[in-house]
Amino acid sequence: MNTDFVEMNVLFDFYGSLLTGKQMDIFKMYYMDDYSLGEISQELNISRQGVYDSLKRAESVLRFYEEKLGLVKKYNIESERINKIKFIIDKAKNDISDEKALKVLDDIQKELEGIEL
Amino acid sequence: MNTDFVEMNVLFDFYGSLLTGKQMDIFKMYYMDDYSLGEISQELNISRQGVYDSLKRAESVLRFYEEKLGLVKKYNIESERINKIKFIIDKAKNDISDEKALKVLDDIQKELEGIEL
């Protein structure tokens, strides 16, 4: 299918809920469970062409929403920022001995761990 | 129309790009520029009923996507976390005198300012 599996899995994480039930099933079998088109066709009792069309449709739906909402792009930018802060804190913990400051850095670190972009 | 203007403006911020051009125009006139249905009808030369239907459709599109993707809900949770970190830092800056630590807190603060959820 010449489509990037990693890209598709990431797009699915963000927009999978916008696929129809059938698209979702086929998408998961193909991109997550490594079924071939023929195996999905047999399993779901749909023509191979039908499976292919559903997959292509699902891919274009996911790409459409990324184009409109750009959540993956935004996620990559913001998670880089968060990681930079985590890096600053890790580094600081080696350089700083002030007890109060270390406690504050711990608190910040804990809050950062909770952020789900 | 009995619809919450604040809610609608927030939903539009997240999902407005998914409306059609016509829905977007009408939505903005009504929810941002404070036009009445009658005024929009005159301005765009569409029946009042047509304006109403477009608005209702736009509202339900925005609500549909929030139900599926929950970006507003997620935004509220994560921005609360970010604000908590900002609060921890502000408080710490008053309690801490260690120069190195204060510099680190500044750096973290700057990175946090750049985060757009």
Side-chain angles (χ1 to χ4, degrees), chain A residues 14 17 65 68-69 74 78 81 84-85 95-96 100-101 111 114-117, chain B residues 14 17 65 68-69 74 78 81 84-85 95-96 100-101 111 114-117:
Chain A
F14 284 85
S17 62
Y65 283 112
K68 288 290 185 184
L69 298 176
K74 203 172 155 197
E78 302 314 334
R81 286 216 172 87
K84 192 167 168 195
I85 299 177
D95 298 342
I96 288 172
K100 256 191 225 165
E111 288 300 322
I115 290 176
E116 284 168 32
L117 293 171
Chain B
F14 284 86
S17 62
Y65 284 111
K68 287 290 184 182
L69 298 176
K74 203 171 155 199
E78 302 313 334
R81 287 214 171 89
K84 194 168 169 195
I85 298 178
D95 297 343
I96 288 172
K100 257 191 226 167
E111 289 299 323
I115 290 175
E116 285 167 33
L117 293 171

PDB file of all heavy atoms in Angstrom, chain A residues 14 17 65 68-69 74 78 81 84-85 95-96 100-101 111 114-117, chain B residues 14 17 65 68-69 74 78 81 84-85 95-96 100-101 111 114-117:
ATOM      1  N   PHE A  14      -4.879  10.174  17.001  1.00  0.00           N
ATOM      2  CA  PHE A  14      -5.515  11.482  17.152  1.00  0.00           C
ATOM      3  C   PHE A  14      -6.932  11.534  16.573  1.00  0.00           C
ATOM      4  O   PHE A  14      -7.797  12.210  17.120  1.00  0.00           O
ATOM      5  CB  PHE A  14      -4.645  12.559  16.492  1.00  0.00           C
ATOM      6  CG  PHE A  14      -3.440  12.926  17.304  1.00  0.00           C
ATOM      7  CD1 PHE A  14      -2.268  12.194  17.209  1.00  0.00           C
ATOM      8  CD2 PHE A  14      -3.499  13.977  18.198  1.00  0.00           C
ATOM      9  CE1 PHE A  14      -1.161  12.509  17.986  1.00  0.00           C
ATOM     10  CE2 PHE A  14      -2.400  14.308  18.981  1.00  0.00           C
ATOM     11  CZ  PHE A  14      -1.222  13.567  18.870  1.00  0.00           C
ATOM     12  N   SER A  17     -11.177   8.160  16.216  1.00  0.00           N
ATOM     13  CA  SER A  17     -12.579   8.194  16.658  1.00  0.00           C
ATOM     14  C   SER A  17     -13.506   8.771  15.589  1.00  0.00           C
ATOM     15  O   SER A  17     -14.723   8.677  15.700  1.00  0.00           O
ATOM     16  CB  SER A  17     -12.710   9.016  17.943  1.00  0.00           C
ATOM     17  OG  SER A  17     -12.320  10.356  17.709  1.00  0.00           O
ATOM     18  N   TYR A  65      -8.294  15.348   8.360  1.00  0.00           N
ATOM     19  CA  TYR A  65      -8.439  16.006   9.669  1.00  0.00           C
ATOM     20  C   TYR A  65      -7.119  16.590  10.149  1.00  0.00           C
ATOM     21  O   TYR A  65      -7.095  17.643  10.768  1.00  0.00           O
ATOM     22  CB  TYR A  65      -9.031  15.041  10.701  1.00  0.00           C
ATOM     23  CG  TYR A  65     -10.515  14.882  10.502  1.00  0.00           C
ATOM     24  CD1 TYR A  65     -11.062  13.683  10.067  1.00  0.00           C
ATOM     25  CD2 TYR A  65     -11.373  15.959  10.708  1.00  0.00           C
ATOM     26  CE1 TYR A  65     -12.429  13.548   9.848  1.00  0.00           C
ATOM     27  CE2 TYR A  65     -12.725  15.839  10.492  1.00  0.00           C
ATOM     28  CZ  TYR A  65     -13.246  14.636  10.065  1.00  0.00           C
ATOM     29  OH  TYR A  65     -14.593  14.520   9.848  1.00  0.00           O
ATOM     30  N   LYS A  68      -6.768  19.833   8.472  1.00  0.00           N
ATOM     31  CA  LYS A  68      -7.675  20.849   9.020  1.00  0.00           C
ATOM     32  C   LYS A  68      -7.293  21.262  10.437  1.00  0.00           C
ATOM     33  O   LYS A  68      -7.341  22.436  10.786  1.00  0.00           O
ATOM     34  CB  LYS A  68      -9.120  20.314   9.037  1.00  0.00           C
ATOM     35  CG  LYS A  68      -9.756  20.217   7.671  1.00  0.00           C
ATOM     36  CD  LYS A  68     -10.049  21.597   7.103  1.00  0.00           C
ATOM     37  CE  LYS A  68     -10.787  21.534   5.794  1.00  0.00           C
ATOM     38  NZ  LYS A  68     -10.984  22.882   5.220  1.00  0.00           N
ATOM     39  N   LEU A  69      -6.967  20.278  11.281  1.00  0.00           N
ATOM     40  CA  LEU A  69      -6.764  20.581  12.705  1.00  0.00           C
ATOM     41  C   LEU A  69      -5.291  20.581  13.132  1.00  0.00           C
ATOM     42  O   LEU A  69      -4.936  21.218  14.129  1.00  0.00           O
ATOM     43  CB  LEU A  69      -7.541  19.575  13.573  1.00  0.00           C
ATOM     44  CG  LEU A  69      -9.068  19.570  13.391  1.00  0.00           C
ATOM     45  CD1 LEU A  69      -9.688  18.460  14.236  1.00  0.00           C
ATOM     46  CD2 LEU A  69      -9.679  20.921  13.770  1.00  0.00           C
ATOM     47  N   LYS A  74       0.968  19.963  16.071  1.00  0.00           N
ATOM     48  CA  LYS A  74       0.952  20.712  17.319  1.00  0.00           C
ATOM     49  C   LYS A  74       1.528  19.865  18.458  1.00  0.00           C
ATOM     50  O   LYS A  74       2.316  20.347  19.274  1.00  0.00           O
ATOM     51  CB  LYS A  74      -0.510  21.075  17.629  1.00  0.00           C
ATOM     52  CG  LYS A  74      -0.678  22.257  18.538  1.00  0.00           C
ATOM     53  CD  LYS A  74      -2.151  22.638  18.612  1.00  0.00           C
ATOM     54  CE  LYS A  74      -2.447  23.364  19.893  1.00  0.00           C
ATOM     55  NZ  LYS A  74      -3.875  23.395  20.194  1.00  0.00           N
ATOM     56  N   GLU A  78       4.678  20.903  20.841  1.00  0.00           N
ATOM     57  CA  GLU A  78       4.496  21.109  22.286  1.00  0.00           C
ATOM     58  C   GLU A  78       5.211  20.042  23.107  1.00  0.00           C
ATOM     59  O   GLU A  78       5.724  20.341  24.188  1.00  0.00           O
ATOM     60  CB  GLU A  78       3.008  21.170  22.641  1.00  0.00           C
ATOM     61  CG  GLU A  78       2.226  22.272  21.919  1.00  0.00           C
ATOM     62  CD  GLU A  78       2.917  23.643  21.915  1.00  0.00           C
ATOM     63  OE1 GLU A  78       3.716  23.922  22.819  1.00  0.00           O
ATOM     64  OE2 GLU A  78       2.660  24.428  20.976  1.00  0.00           O
ATOM     65  N   ARG A  81       8.669  21.061  23.541  1.00  0.00           N
ATOM     66  CA  ARG A  81       8.816  22.084  24.600  1.00  0.00           C
ATOM     67  C   ARG A  81       8.819  21.436  25.987  1.00  0.00           C
ATOM     68  O   ARG A  81       9.622  21.770  26.842  1.00  0.00           O
ATOM     69  CB  ARG A  81       7.663  23.102  24.512  1.00  0.00           C
ATOM     70  CG  ARG A  81       7.782  24.052  23.355  1.00  0.00           C
ATOM     71  CD  ARG A  81       7.271  25.445  23.710  1.00  0.00           C
ATOM     72  NE  ARG A  81       7.577  26.374  22.634  1.00  0.00           N
ATOM     73  CZ  ARG A  81       6.809  26.596  21.562  1.00  0.00           C
ATOM     74  NH1 ARG A  81       5.657  25.972  21.419  1.00  0.00           N
ATOM     75  NH2 ARG A  81       7.176  27.456  20.636  1.00  0.00           N
ATOM     76  N   LYS A  84      11.976  19.703  26.636  1.00  0.00           N
ATOM     77  CA  LYS A  84      13.050  20.651  26.914  1.00  0.00           C
ATOM     78  C   LYS A  84      13.014  21.056  28.397  1.00  0.00           C
ATOM     79  O   LYS A  84      14.052  21.132  29.048  1.00  0.00           O
ATOM     80  CB  LYS A  84      12.905  21.882  26.015  1.00  0.00           C
ATOM     81  CG  LYS A  84      14.135  22.746  26.041  1.00  0.00           C
ATOM     82  CD  LYS A  84      14.150  23.787  24.931  1.00  0.00           C
ATOM     83  CE  LYS A  84      15.263  24.795  25.190  1.00  0.00           C
ATOM     84  NZ  LYS A  84      15.123  26.001  24.364  1.00  0.00           N
ATOM     85  N   ILE A  85      11.808  21.279  28.903  1.00  0.00           N
ATOM     86  CA  ILE A  85      11.684  21.631  30.327  1.00  0.00           C
ATOM     87  C   ILE A  85      12.161  20.469  31.200  1.00  0.00           C
ATOM     88  O   ILE A  85      12.890  20.665  32.177  1.00  0.00           O
ATOM     89  CB  ILE A  85      10.228  22.001  30.687  1.00  0.00           C
ATOM     90  CG1 ILE A  85       9.784  23.225  29.875  1.00  0.00           C
ATOM     91  CG2 ILE A  85      10.097  22.290  32.190  1.00  0.00           C
ATOM     92  CD1 ILE A  85       8.339  23.637  30.112  1.00  0.00           C
ATOM     93  N   ASP A  95      23.138  20.247  39.277  1.00  0.00           N
ATOM     94  CA  ASP A  95      23.921  21.474  39.522  1.00  0.00           C
ATOM     95  C   ASP A  95      23.527  22.187  40.809  1.00  0.00           C
ATOM     96  O   ASP A  95      24.267  23.037  41.305  1.00  0.00           O
ATOM     97  CB  ASP A  95      23.728  22.480  38.372  1.00  0.00           C
ATOM     98  CG  ASP A  95      24.229  21.913  37.051  1.00  0.00           C
ATOM     99  OD1 ASP A  95      24.996  20.936  37.098  1.00  0.00           O
ATOM    100  OD2 ASP A  95      23.842  22.440  35.990  1.00  0.00           O
ATOM    101  N   ILE A  96      22.339  21.889  41.293  1.00  0.00           N
ATOM    102  CA  ILE A  96      21.792  22.678  42.398  1.00  0.00           C
ATOM    103  C   ILE A  96      21.803  21.873  43.692  1.00  0.00           C
ATOM    104  O   ILE A  96      21.511  20.667  43.679  1.00  0.00           O
ATOM    105  CB  ILE A  96      20.352  23.140  42.046  1.00  0.00           C
ATOM    106  CG1 ILE A  96      20.436  24.232  40.979  1.00  0.00           C
ATOM    107  CG2 ILE A  96      19.603  23.640  43.269  1.00  0.00           C
ATOM    108  CD1 ILE A  96      19.099  24.618  40.415  1.00  0.00           C
ATOM    109  N   LYS A 100      15.352  23.576  49.150  1.00  0.00           N
ATOM    110  CA  LYS A 100      14.035  24.115  48.775  1.00  0.00           C
ATOM    111  C   LYS A 100      13.857  24.077  47.265  1.00  0.00           C
ATOM    112  O   LYS A 100      12.810  23.706  46.752  1.00  0.00           O
ATOM    113  CB  LYS A 100      13.935  25.577  49.250  1.00  0.00           C
ATOM    114  CG  LYS A 100      13.083  25.772  50.497  1.00  0.00           C
ATOM    115  CD  LYS A 100      12.834  27.269  50.696  1.00  0.00           C
ATOM    116  CE  LYS A 100      13.044  27.676  52.122  1.00  0.00           C
ATOM    117  NZ  LYS A 100      13.158  29.133  52.287  1.00  0.00           N
ATOM    118  N   ALA A 101      14.930  24.485  46.575  1.00  0.00           N
ATOM    119  CA  ALA A 101      14.865  24.530  45.109  1.00  0.00           C
ATOM    120  C   ALA A 101      14.678  23.128  44.521  1.00  0.00           C
ATOM    121  O   ALA A 101      13.888  22.930  43.591  1.00  0.00           O
ATOM    122  CB  ALA A 101      16.125  25.171  44.549  1.00  0.00           C
ATOM    123  N   GLU A 111       4.197  17.486  38.076  1.00  0.00           N
ATOM    124  CA  GLU A 111       3.101  18.082  37.297  1.00  0.00           C
ATOM    125  C   GLU A 111       3.304  17.844  35.801  1.00  0.00           C
ATOM    126  O   GLU A 111       2.355  17.564  35.069  1.00  0.00           O
ATOM    127  CB  GLU A 111       3.010  19.586  37.570  1.00  0.00           C
ATOM    128  CG  GLU A 111       2.479  19.956  38.944  1.00  0.00           C
ATOM    129  CD  GLU A 111       1.073  19.426  39.195  1.00  0.00           C
ATOM    130  OE1 GLU A 111       0.256  19.424  38.260  1.00  0.00           O
ATOM    131  OE2 GLU A 111       0.812  18.995  40.337  1.00  0.00           O
ATOM    132  N   GLY A 114       2.213  14.614  34.404  1.00  0.00           N
ATOM    133  CA  GLY A 114       0.769  14.456  34.262  1.00  0.00           C
ATOM    134  C   GLY A 114       0.207  15.056  32.990  1.00  0.00           C
ATOM    135  O   GLY A 114      -0.935  14.780  32.617  1.00  0.00           O
ATOM    136  N   ILE A 115       0.989  15.881  32.315  1.00  0.00           N
ATOM    137  CA  ILE A 115       0.474  16.564  31.118  1.00  0.00           C
ATOM    138  C   ILE A 115       0.362  15.598  29.951  1.00  0.00           C
ATOM    139  O   ILE A 115       1.307  14.915  29.589  1.00  0.00           O
ATOM    140  CB  ILE A 115       1.367  17.766  30.744  1.00  0.00           C
ATOM    141  CG1 ILE A 115       1.202  18.869  31.795  1.00  0.00           C
ATOM    142  CG2 ILE A 115       1.013  18.296  29.359  1.00  0.00           C
ATOM    143  CD1 ILE A 115       2.097  20.062  31.593  1.00  0.00           C
ATOM    144  N   GLU A 116      -0.831  15.536  29.394  1.00  0.00           N
ATOM    145  CA  GLU A 116      -1.050  14.700  28.205  1.00  0.00           C
ATOM    146  C   GLU A 116      -1.423  15.599  27.055  1.00  0.00           C
ATOM    147  O   GLU A 116      -2.523  16.141  27.018  1.00  0.00           O
ATOM    148  CB  GLU A 116      -2.173  13.696  28.473  1.00  0.00           C
ATOM    149  CG  GLU A 116      -1.734  12.555  29.352  1.00  0.00           C
ATOM    150  CD  GLU A 116      -2.926  11.737  29.834  1.00  0.00           C
ATOM    151  OE1 GLU A 116      -3.911  11.631  29.088  1.00  0.00           O
ATOM    152  OE2 GLU A 116      -2.857  11.237  30.967  1.00  0.00           O
ATOM    153  N   LEU A 117      -0.520  15.765  26.147  1.00  0.00           N
ATOM    154  CA  LEU A 117      -0.782  16.705  25.051  1.00  0.00           C
ATOM    155  C   LEU A 117      -1.747  16.113  24.025  1.00  0.00           C
ATOM    156  O   LEU A 117      -1.877  14.923  23.903  1.00  0.00           O
ATOM    157  CB  LEU A 117       0.532  17.093  24.387  1.00  0.00           C
ATOM    158  CG  LEU A 117       1.456  17.910  25.265  1.00  0.00           C
ATOM    159  CD1 LEU A 117       2.805  18.044  24.592  1.00  0.00           C
ATOM    160  CD2 LEU A 117       0.886  19.300  25.522  1.00  0.00           C
TER     161      LEU A 117
ATOM    162  N   PHE B  14     -11.532  25.756  18.323  1.00  0.00           N
ATOM    163  CA  PHE B  14     -10.926  24.442  18.134  1.00  0.00           C
ATOM    164  C   PHE B  14     -11.335  23.772  16.822  1.00  0.00           C
ATOM    165  O   PHE B  14     -10.537  23.083  16.205  1.00  0.00           O
ATOM    166  CB  PHE B  14     -11.277  23.526  19.317  1.00  0.00           C
ATOM    167  CG  PHE B  14     -10.490  23.849  20.554  1.00  0.00           C
ATOM    168  CD1 PHE B  14     -10.920  24.831  21.437  1.00  0.00           C
ATOM    169  CD2 PHE B  14      -9.296  23.189  20.820  1.00  0.00           C
ATOM    170  CE1 PHE B  14     -10.175  25.154  22.572  1.00  0.00           C
ATOM    171  CE2 PHE B  14      -8.553  23.499  21.944  1.00  0.00           C
ATOM    172  CZ  PHE B  14      -8.990  24.482  22.820  1.00  0.00           C
ATOM    173  N   SER B  17     -12.361  25.363  11.718  1.00  0.00           N
ATOM    174  CA  SER B  17     -11.828  25.031  10.395  1.00  0.00           C
ATOM    175  C   SER B  17     -12.588  23.882   9.738  1.00  0.00           C
ATOM    176  O   SER B  17     -12.401  23.622   8.551  1.00  0.00           O
ATOM    177  CB  SER B  17     -10.350  24.665  10.505  1.00  0.00           C
ATOM    178  OG  SER B  17     -10.189  23.522  11.321  1.00  0.00           O
ATOM    179  N   TYR B  65     -17.810  17.311  16.928  1.00  0.00           N
ATOM    180  CA  TYR B  65     -16.362  17.099  16.988  1.00  0.00           C
ATOM    181  C   TYR B  65     -15.841  17.135  18.424  1.00  0.00           C
ATOM    182  O   TYR B  65     -14.930  16.390  18.778  1.00  0.00           O
ATOM    183  CB  TYR B  65     -15.635  18.105  16.088  1.00  0.00           C
ATOM    184  CG  TYR B  65     -15.750  17.725  14.633  1.00  0.00           C
ATOM    185  CD1 TYR B  65     -16.499  18.481  13.743  1.00  0.00           C
ATOM    186  CD2 TYR B  65     -15.129  16.571  14.165  1.00  0.00           C
ATOM    187  CE1 TYR B  65     -16.624  18.099  12.406  1.00  0.00           C
ATOM    188  CE2 TYR B  65     -15.259  16.181  12.839  1.00  0.00           C
ATOM    189  CZ  TYR B  65     -16.000  16.951  11.966  1.00  0.00           C
ATOM    190  OH  TYR B  65     -16.132  16.558  10.658  1.00  0.00           O
ATOM    191  N   LYS B  68     -16.437  13.796  19.815  1.00  0.00           N
ATOM    192  CA  LYS B  68     -15.532  12.775  19.274  1.00  0.00           C
ATOM    193  C   LYS B  68     -14.094  12.975  19.735  1.00  0.00           C
ATOM    194  O   LYS B  68     -13.395  12.023  20.050  1.00  0.00           O
ATOM    195  CB  LYS B  68     -15.567  12.809  17.734  1.00  0.00           C
ATOM    196  CG  LYS B  68     -16.832  12.255  17.125  1.00  0.00           C
ATOM    197  CD  LYS B  68     -16.896  10.756  17.320  1.00  0.00           C
ATOM    198  CE  LYS B  68     -18.121  10.158  16.636  1.00  0.00           C
ATOM    199  NZ  LYS B  68     -18.206   8.704  16.860  1.00  0.00           N
ATOM    200  N   LEU B  69     -13.623  14.236  19.719  1.00  0.00           N
ATOM    201  CA  LEU B  69     -12.196  14.489  19.969  1.00  0.00           C
ATOM    202  C   LEU B  69     -11.904  15.077  21.348  1.00  0.00           C
ATOM    203  O   LEU B  69     -10.795  14.935  21.862  1.00  0.00           O
ATOM    204  CB  LEU B  69     -11.630  15.421  18.887  1.00  0.00           C
ATOM    205  CG  LEU B  69     -11.678  14.902  17.448  1.00  0.00           C
ATOM    206  CD1 LEU B  69     -11.179  15.959  16.475  1.00  0.00           C
ATOM    207  CD2 LEU B  69     -10.841  13.623  17.289  1.00  0.00           C
ATOM    208  N   LYS B  74      -9.845  18.498  27.046  1.00  0.00           N
ATOM    209  CA  LYS B  74      -8.426  18.223  27.232  1.00  0.00           C
ATOM    210  C   LYS B  74      -7.665  19.525  27.488  1.00  0.00           C
ATOM    211  O   LYS B  74      -6.812  19.593  28.372  1.00  0.00           O
ATOM    212  CB  LYS B  74      -7.893  17.550  25.963  1.00  0.00           C
ATOM    213  CG  LYS B  74      -6.663  16.736  26.165  1.00  0.00           C
ATOM    214  CD  LYS B  74      -6.358  15.955  24.893  1.00  0.00           C
ATOM    215  CE  LYS B  74      -4.891  15.633  24.811  1.00  0.00           C
ATOM    216  NZ  LYS B  74      -4.467  15.285  23.444  1.00  0.00           N
ATOM    217  N   GLU B  78      -5.354  20.314  30.738  1.00  0.00           N
ATOM    218  CA  GLU B  78      -3.905  20.524  30.612  1.00  0.00           C
ATOM    219  C   GLU B  78      -3.504  21.963  30.935  1.00  0.00           C
ATOM    220  O   GLU B  78      -2.447  22.199  31.501  1.00  0.00           O
ATOM    221  CB  GLU B  78      -3.414  20.112  29.218  1.00  0.00           C
ATOM    222  CG  GLU B  78      -3.705  18.656  28.853  1.00  0.00           C
ATOM    223  CD  GLU B  78      -3.360  17.648  29.938  1.00  0.00           C
ATOM    224  OE1 GLU B  78      -2.484  17.922  30.781  1.00  0.00           O
ATOM    225  OE2 GLU B  78      -3.995  16.574  29.964  1.00  0.00           O
ATOM    226  N   ARG B  81      -3.066  22.243  34.527  1.00  0.00           N
ATOM    227  CA  ARG B  81      -1.768  21.704  34.968  1.00  0.00           C
ATOM    228  C   ARG B  81      -0.652  22.719  34.729  1.00  0.00           C
ATOM    229  O   ARG B  81       0.200  22.937  35.592  1.00  0.00           O
ATOM    230  CB  ARG B  81      -1.445  20.413  34.203  1.00  0.00           C
ATOM    231  CG  ARG B  81      -2.271  19.235  34.646  1.00  0.00           C
ATOM    232  CD  ARG B  81      -1.468  17.929  34.565  1.00  0.00           C
ATOM    233  NE  ARG B  81      -2.230  16.859  35.194  1.00  0.00           N
ATOM    234  CZ  ARG B  81      -3.119  16.095  34.543  1.00  0.00           C
ATOM    235  NH1 ARG B  81      -3.322  16.270  33.263  1.00  0.00           N
ATOM    236  NH2 ARG B  81      -3.772  15.146  35.189  1.00  0.00           N
ATOM    237  N   LYS B  84      -0.807  25.434  37.167  1.00  0.00           N
ATOM    238  CA  LYS B  84      -0.339  25.002  38.476  1.00  0.00           C
ATOM    239  C   LYS B  84       1.185  25.095  38.535  1.00  0.00           C
ATOM    240  O   LYS B  84       1.747  25.553  39.534  1.00  0.00           O
ATOM    241  CB  LYS B  84      -0.805  23.565  38.750  1.00  0.00           C
ATOM    242  CG  LYS B  84      -0.654  23.186  40.205  1.00  0.00           C
ATOM    243  CD  LYS B  84      -1.351  21.899  40.563  1.00  0.00           C
ATOM    244  CE  LYS B  84      -0.927  21.440  41.950  1.00  0.00           C
ATOM    245  NZ  LYS B  84      -1.300  20.035  42.189  1.00  0.00           N
ATOM    246  N   ILE B  85       1.842  24.691  37.464  1.00  0.00           N
ATOM    247  CA  ILE B  85       3.308  24.788  37.429  1.00  0.00           C
ATOM    248  C   ILE B  85       3.739  26.252  37.500  1.00  0.00           C
ATOM    249  O   ILE B  85       4.671  26.609  38.221  1.00  0.00           O
ATOM    250  CB  ILE B  85       3.874  24.127  36.147  1.00  0.00           C
ATOM    251  CG1 ILE B  85       3.519  22.639  36.128  1.00  0.00           C
ATOM    252  CG2 ILE B  85       5.394  24.304  36.088  1.00  0.00           C
ATOM    253  CD1 ILE B  85       3.992  21.901  34.887  1.00  0.00           C
ATOM    254  N   ASP B  95      10.471  32.360  47.645  1.00  0.00           N
ATOM    255  CA  ASP B  95      11.022  31.584  48.772  1.00  0.00           C
ATOM    256  C   ASP B  95      12.498  31.228  48.592  1.00  0.00           C
ATOM    257  O   ASP B  95      13.166  30.863  49.566  1.00  0.00           O
ATOM    258  CB  ASP B  95      10.247  30.255  48.915  1.00  0.00           C
ATOM    259  CG  ASP B  95       8.789  30.492  49.261  1.00  0.00           C
ATOM    260  OD1 ASP B  95       8.475  31.615  49.704  1.00  0.00           O
ATOM    261  OD2 ASP B  95       7.974  29.564  49.085  1.00  0.00           O
ATOM    262  N   ILE B  96      12.962  31.281  47.357  1.00  0.00           N
ATOM    263  CA  ILE B  96      14.302  30.765  47.069  1.00  0.00           C
ATOM    264  C   ILE B  96      15.272  31.907  46.794  1.00  0.00           C
ATOM    265  O   ILE B  96      14.916  32.886  46.136  1.00  0.00           O
ATOM    266  CB  ILE B  96      14.230  29.800  45.864  1.00  0.00           C
ATOM    267  CG1 ILE B  96      13.537  28.503  46.297  1.00  0.00           C
ATOM    268  CG2 ILE B  96      15.614  29.505  45.294  1.00  0.00           C
ATOM    269  CD1 ILE B  96      13.246  27.572  45.166  1.00  0.00           C
ATOM    270  N   LYS B 100      21.489  30.109  41.084  1.00  0.00           N
ATOM    271  CA  LYS B 100      21.396  29.091  40.022  1.00  0.00           C
ATOM    272  C   LYS B 100      19.959  28.596  39.888  1.00  0.00           C
ATOM    273  O   LYS B 100      19.428  28.444  38.786  1.00  0.00           O
ATOM    274  CB  LYS B 100      22.302  27.905  40.382  1.00  0.00           C
ATOM    275  CG  LYS B 100      23.610  27.865  39.607  1.00  0.00           C
ATOM    276  CD  LYS B 100      24.268  26.504  39.853  1.00  0.00           C
ATOM    277  CE  LYS B 100      25.738  26.668  40.162  1.00  0.00           C
ATOM    278  NZ  LYS B 100      26.333  25.434  40.701  1.00  0.00           N
ATOM    279  N   ALA B 101      19.343  28.349  41.030  1.00  0.00           N
ATOM    280  CA  ALA B 101      17.977  27.823  41.028  1.00  0.00           C
ATOM    281  C   ALA B 101      17.007  28.846  40.427  1.00  0.00           C
ATOM    282  O   ALA B 101      16.118  28.493  39.650  1.00  0.00           O
ATOM    283  CB  ALA B 101      17.547  27.456  42.445  1.00  0.00           C
ATOM    284  N   GLU B 111       9.966  28.664  28.838  1.00  0.00           N
ATOM    285  CA  GLU B 111       9.500  27.551  28.014  1.00  0.00           C
ATOM    286  C   GLU B 111       7.994  27.347  28.171  1.00  0.00           C
ATOM    287  O   GLU B 111       7.289  27.083  27.208  1.00  0.00           O
ATOM    288  CB  GLU B 111      10.231  26.253  28.380  1.00  0.00           C
ATOM    289  CG  GLU B 111      11.680  26.201  27.975  1.00  0.00           C
ATOM    290  CD  GLU B 111      11.862  26.325  26.462  1.00  0.00           C
ATOM    291  OE1 GLU B 111      11.038  25.791  25.700  1.00  0.00           O
ATOM    292  OE2 GLU B 111      12.837  26.992  26.050  1.00  0.00           O
ATOM    293  N   GLY B 114       5.776  29.486  26.138  1.00  0.00           N
ATOM    294  CA  GLY B 114       5.701  29.135  24.716  1.00  0.00           C
ATOM    295  C   GLY B 114       4.724  28.014  24.401  1.00  0.00           C
ATOM    296  O   GLY B 114       4.392  27.780  23.242  1.00  0.00           O
ATOM    297  N   ILE B 115       4.263  27.307  25.443  1.00  0.00           N
ATOM    298  CA  ILE B 115       3.389  26.158  25.189  1.00  0.00           C
ATOM    299  C   ILE B 115       1.989  26.609  24.791  1.00  0.00           C
ATOM    300  O   ILE B 115       1.360  27.397  25.485  1.00  0.00           O
ATOM    301  CB  ILE B 115       3.336  25.219  26.416  1.00  0.00           C
ATOM    302  CG1 ILE B 115       4.680  24.524  26.584  1.00  0.00           C
ATOM    303  CG2 ILE B 115       2.216  24.188  26.276  1.00  0.00           C
ATOM    304  CD1 ILE B 115       4.790  23.659  27.819  1.00  0.00           C
ATOM    305  N   GLU B 116       1.551  26.136  23.638  1.00  0.00           N
ATOM    306  CA  GLU B 116       0.181  26.432  23.205  1.00  0.00           C
ATOM    307  C   GLU B 116      -0.597  25.131  23.147  1.00  0.00           C
ATOM    308  O   GLU B 116      -0.371  24.309  22.277  1.00  0.00           O
ATOM    309  CB  GLU B 116       0.199  27.081  21.816  1.00  0.00           C
ATOM    310  CG  GLU B 116       0.639  28.526  21.861  1.00  0.00           C
ATOM    311  CD  GLU B 116       0.962  29.044  20.465  1.00  0.00           C
ATOM    312  OE1 GLU B 116       0.328  28.609  19.507  1.00  0.00           O
ATOM    313  OE2 GLU B 116       1.870  29.882  20.372  1.00  0.00           O
ATOM    314  N   LEU B 117      -1.490  24.973  24.078  1.00  0.00           N
ATOM    315  CA  LEU B 117      -2.213  23.697  24.145  1.00  0.00           C
ATOM    316  C   LEU B 117      -3.275  23.597  23.069  1.00  0.00           C
ATOM    317  O   LEU B 117      -3.716  24.589  22.543  1.00  0.00           O
ATOM    318  CB  LEU B 117      -2.840  23.541  25.519  1.00  0.00           C
ATOM    319  CG  LEU B 117      -1.836  23.384  26.640  1.00  0.00           C
ATOM    320  CD1 LEU B 117      -2.548  23.461  27.979  1.00  0.00           C
ATOM    321  CD2 LEU B 117      -1.109  22.057  26.541  1.00  0.00           C
TER     322      LEU B 117
END
